[in-house]
Amino acid sequence: MDSKFVKEAAKNIQQELTEIRRTLHQNPEVGPFLPQTKAFVRKKLEEYGYEPKEICESGIVATVQGEEPGKTILLRADMDALSIKEEAPVSFASCNHAMHACGHDMHATMLLGAAKLLMENRHEIKGTVKLVFQPDEEGFTGAKSMLKAGVLEEPHVDAGMALHVNSGTPSGMILCGQGTCMAGCTLFQITVKGTGCHGAMPETGVDPINIAAHIYLSLQEIIAREISPMKPAVLTIGKFSGGKAPNIIPEEVVLEGTIRTLDVDLAGQIYRRIEEISTQTAALFRGEAKVTEIASAPPLQNDRNLVREMAEYAKEITAPEKVILFEQGGMGSEDFASYTYEIPCAYLLLGAGTAQENPMFGKPMHNDHVVFNEEILSLGSGILTYSAIKWLENNSLAISNMK
């Protein structure tokens, strides 16, 4: 299939993609239950000639088969938003107190664009393309739920691919991580229990705020003094809540945070130390503490051969200088990682704009002012379409040597 044809076909639906993206952006939904988003995506797929199926609560799967038999490649997009009130200066800002501050509306739109292009050019497909629209990436439950529900079967999937927009990277630049290129993340909660009392008589109670403060300070020593500086690891407490009045010592304080590492065993070691420090510190001050894992995603492991192959296809859609291969990325996390332990996968980052291009662009991901360059929507659809068709065409033989 000619890359120029795909590129032009994608450009021709840019306006449609912009309209789809803005509809999704104005109506964000958070978590595993996305009724409006699910219905919208399903309707669009039906318009394009698909027979989409629901999987889990809000997951959507659709397939397009070519005229010739072959392997199956999965293209995945996430659909959930964040519990952030949007402050971005755009005319299509969110209508509720959630926000697509991580670009999942962009991802869903690009995959819908690819769905349309693939259906229109299904005669070029040698095998099957499985389109997966997934909920709750942010909560790290979406991918695991989809996998448990059998998303990799009927038909069996041989390889997977996903695109993620990246604010602060020049528009249209494609970053291709090789090997372990994103950190695993464990979300945890520490519940500290004391004995409530009046602030005028602290001796009659057990202060959980004091206990939680000592736990917080002690946890900082894990990374500073127990982990080799040669091993990337981050421990963050992002939530510290307790108490309702300034003159009352509360019964309970809750801390929530994340562990991020490139090593699953190291993450387990840090989690165990959090448990030990929390429970023993609480006992020292006459209280109690319990540590609970909320959710987790493992480190993302891109298949090196598949990433290099997809990078070559991306070069044909854009330009060689726009595609960058790199080793070991940052400490951000992504629940697509769970797919990478089941099948060979390629997870690529697509630049969504810098402040030098437009003062509105380039804000950090998960920021209430972040704005993504919509002009990359057609490029993303084109990359997904062309990569899927070319991979199926060039991988008719067994892929046992890809790992």
Side-chain angles (χ1 to χ4, degrees), residues 261-340:
T261 73
L262 298 173
D263 183 311
V264 173
D265 292 336
L266 180 58
Q269 174 189 335
I270 294 171
Y271 187 83
R272 288 189 294 273
R273 286 295 290 138
I274 292 172
E275 287 184 309
E276 292 170 355
I277 290 171
S278 299
T279 56
Q280 292 177 22
T281 301
L284 180 66
F285 292 101
R286 301 177 294 130
E288 297 178 357
K290 181 181 180 181
V291 181
T292 305
E293 179 180 313
I294 300 172
S296 66
L300 191 149
Q301 299 182 336
N302 266 340
D303 183 273
R304 290 177 178 274
N305 291 335
L306 183 60
V307 165
R308 293 191 191 102
E309 183 175 356
M310 295 307 188
E312 291 303 311
Y313 301 149
K315 289 177 183 178
E316 294 181 46
I317 289 293
T318 177
E321 65 273 13
K322 289 274 193 176
V323 181
I324 308 296
L325 287 163
F326 68 90
E327 299 281 348
Q328 188 173 317
M331 300 302 285
S333 302
E334 159 67 65
D335 90 335
F336 184 71
S338 292
Y339 292 87
T340 71

Side-chain angles (χ1 to χ4, degrees), residues 122-137:
R122 57 188 178 278
H123 60 280
E124 297 279 359
I125 299 173
K126 293 180 169 64
T128 302
V129 182
K130 180 177 282 192
L131 310 169
V132 174
F133 296 83
Q134 179 204 299
D136 203 27
E137 187 282 324

Side-chain angles (χ1 to χ4, degrees), residues 11-29:
K11 283 184 177 180
N12 289 338
I13 62 170
Q14 173 64 35
Q15 183 57 42
E16 179 181 353
L17 296 179
T18 301
E19 292 171 1
I20 290 173
R21 187 263 168 152
R22 292 187 177 187
T23 297
L24 291 171
H25 190 85
Q26 286 184 302
N27 300 278
E29 295 176 297

Side-chain angles (χ1 to χ4, degrees), residues 21-263:
R21 187 263 168 152
R22 292 187 177 187
T23 297
L24 291 171
H25 190 85
Q26 286 184 302
N27 300 278
E29 295 176 297
V30 178
F33 306 109
L34 316 173
Q36 287 182 283
T37 307
K38 175 180 69 175
F40 179 84
V41 169
R42 185 185 185 100
K43 182 180 179 182
K44 280 295 176 185
L45 288 170
E46 289 171 347
E47 288 176 8
Y48 298 154
Y50 289 86
E51 297 180 0
K53 297 179 181 179
E54 294 185 20
I55 182 171
C56 305
E57 169 58 32
S58 291
I60 297 288
V61 176
T63 58
V64 54
Q65 291 181 303
E67 297 174 358
E68 296 182 34
K71 294 189 176 296
T72 299
I73 185 169
L74 177 151
L75 302 179
R76 174 270 204 175
D78 38 21
M79 303 184 292
D80 58 313
L82 289 150
S83 297
I84 297 174
K85 185 178 185 302
E86 183 164 14
E87 300 293 344
V90 294
S91 61
F92 51 90
S94 167
C95 298
N96 56 38
H97 287 272
M99 178 187 179
H100 276 294
C102 198
H104 296 186
D105 55 333
M106 301 279 286
H107 307 159
T109 299
M110 290 188 289
L111 188 53
L112 283 172
K116 182 172 187 175
L117 296 174
L118 286 164
M119 183 60 75
E120 291 175 348
N121 296 280
R122 57 188 178 278
H123 60 280
E124 297 279 359
I125 299 173
K126 293 180 169 64
T128 302
V129 182
K130 180 177 282 192
L131 310 169
V132 174
F133 296 83
Q134 179 204 299
D136 203 27
E137 187 282 324
E138 298 293 352
F140 294 155
T141 72
K144 290 178 180 178
S145 296
M146 299 286 276
L147 290 167
K148 186 177 180 180
V151 73
L152 298 184
E153 302 302 330
E154 297 182 5
H156 174 74
V157 174
D158 299 294
M161 180 181 182
L163 285 180
H164 196 298
V165 295
N166 199 47
S167 180
T169 297
S171 297
M173 181 170 286
I174 303 157
L175 307 179
C176 310
Q178 302 181 88
T180 303
C181 61
M182 294 188 77
C185 181
T186 301
L187 304 172
F188 64 88
Q189 181 183 81
I190 305 172
T191 303
V192 181
K193 291 187 178 295
T195 302
C197 65
H198 196 286
M201 296 175 287
E203 74 281 3
T204 64
V206 175
D207 187 351
I209 294 178
N210 177 55
I211 296 171
H214 279 82
I215 290 173
Y216 174 83
L217 292 172
S218 298
L219 293 184
Q220 309 310 308
E221 302 305 315
I222 297 176
I223 304 300
R225 289 295 178 266
E226 298 184 23
I227 306 300
S228 168
M230 301 301 291
K231 296 181 178 181
V234 180
L235 173 57
T236 299
I237 299 295
K239 179 179 179 181
F240 192 126
S241 61
K244 296 180 180 179
N247 63 337
I248 298 174
I249 291 175
E251 294 276 346
E252 181 179 288
V253 170
V254 174
L255 295 83
E256 292 184 6
T258 60
I259 304 165
R260 297 178 190 271
T261 73
L262 298 173
D263 183 311

